[in-house]
Amino acid sequence: MKDNLKKYVNKLRSSNLRPTKQRLKICQFLFDREKTFHFTVEDLHNHFSSKDSKMNISLATLYNTVHSFKNAGHLKEIHVNNERSYFDTNASQHHHFFDEDSNKVIDINNDLINLEKFPKPPKGKFIKEIEVTIKLKDIQKK
């Protein structure tokens, strides 16, 4: 845990955040995992305000911490519609399925999508990155 604590302190500082107990707890919850984690800020708030949580963390602290991590490149934001964004602990460029019925985000291996032709960007702009989000719906719910 000591190595992870140092890693979390560095992650917070690189995000221009002071390493408070609450923010260290957020780091542990988000980044102490073997698999990629997709979540909304509301998901985090539900977790940290549940009976099982040993620490209640305000929605404002969660929101500010998550967006600071995103701005520092530690999290990726996935816009699924105008009302909801998910965040991904895998900040590398990759693609996603979004299941509209279960509200789940699922990673897609980059090798499974072939992107060949792109429009020329407007004058003075360049294509920074391209990510595909494929929205899914249950067959019975067409």
Side-chain angles (χ1 to χ4, degrees), residues 23-99:
R23 289 180 181 139
L24 287 166
K25 259 306 187 213
I26 296 168
C27 270
Q28 181 181 13
F29 183 75
L30 293 179
F31 301 111
D32 196 12
R33 301 171 176 272
E34 289 187 28
K35 291 186 176 185
T36 298
F37 179 52
H38 302 103
F39 64 94
T40 64
V41 175
E42 292 78 16
D43 293 334
L44 287 184
H45 188 252
N46 290 339
H47 170 77
F48 285 108
S49 60
S50 74
K51 293 177 191 174
D52 298 333
S53 178
K54 294 182 170 92
M55 184 177 290
N56 193 356
I57 302 175
S58 75
L59 186 58
T61 298
L62 292 166
Y63 181 85
N64 291 334
T65 302
V66 165
H67 282 276
S68 292
F69 284 156
K70 179 193 79 162
N71 293 338
H74 302 305
L75 293 174
K76 174 177 287 304
E77 187 170 12
I78 305 160
H79 299 279
V80 295
N81 59 40
N82 290 338
E83 299 159 12
R84 179 172 279 178
S85 286
Y86 284 79
F87 295 88
D88 190 343
T89 55
N90 176 358
S92 69
Q93 183 176 339
H94 63 286
H95 312 291
H96 295 96
F97 285 118
F98 175 67
D99 186 329

